[in-house]
Amino acid sequence: MLMPVAIALHNLAAVIWVGGMLMMLWVVRPAAAELLEPPLRGPFLCLTLQRFFPWVWLAVGVQLVSGYWMLFAVFGGMGAAGLHVHIMQLLGLAMMVVFSWVFFAPFQRLKAAVASGEAAQAGACLQRIRFWVRINASLGVAVVLIATGGRYL
């Protein structure tokens, strides 16, 4: 009974996190760049990230708990898991490290730049964040592909 809940929550967390990154990269940021001047773009994107990041933290927690619960309670532990599970786990942990760094370093600098009205500094922070989010989104897409098709390789 717990497995359907665990896999559903695990997948929902991945959709929220990876889908949110793709939405920011492909839709929100380009629209903001097209419509907003830098003095408004920085605060808008900062607020958007401020509202998105709690969902990412929740997704990270849900993925860790549900993933390791499934691995040990259902699939028989690390030794019994297929290679695709280990790759998915490695990439997922890498994504968590990248997200943590983005949150605690460039995002904090972005908030400070926006608070002090430094549009150029905010823009530089946003570029750093976008660089790392591109990496994380690529890892996230790889994880989704491995998670959904890996066991058939």
Side-chain angles (χ1 to χ4, degrees), residues 92-118:
L93 291 172
M95 288 177 65
M96 292 172 195
V97 168
V98 169
F99 168 68
S100 296
W101 185 83
V102 165
F103 182 83
F104 289 112
F107 178 61
Q108 299 308 315
R109 289 192 287 273
L110 171 64
K111 291 194 306 185
V114 166
S116 64
E118 299 174 27

Side-chain angles (χ1 to χ4, degrees), residues 41-78:
R41 190 179 315 146
F44 170 75
L45 291 172
C46 183
L47 182 58
T48 303
L49 292 173
Q50 221 165 335
R51 292 181 178 184
F52 177 55
F53 283 169
W55 289 100
V56 177
W57 282 116
L58 180 62
V60 166
V62 166
Q63 288 191 310
L64 284 171
V65 170
S66 61
Y68 284 115
W69 179 83
M70 289 185 288
L71 180 62
F72 290 103
V74 177
F75 298 125
M78 296 281 194

Side-chain angles (χ1 to χ4, degrees), residues 31 34 49 51 55 61 89 101 105 118 123 127 130-131 133 140:
E34 188 174 319
L49 292 173
R51 292 181 178 184
W55 289 100
Q89 175 186 202
W101 185 83
E118 299 174 27
Q127 284 199 6
R130 189 171 67 239
F131 172 82
V133 171

Side-chain angles (χ1 to χ4, degrees), residues 17 23 29 40 54 73 77 80-81 88 90-91 93 104 114-115 118 128 145 151:
W17 188 5
M23 178 77 167
R29 191 257 169 211
L40 292 176
M88 180 175 47
L90 176 66
L91 294 177
L93 291 172
F104 289 112
V114 166
E118 299 174 27
R128 274 187 231 106
L145 294 173
R151 68 178 168 184

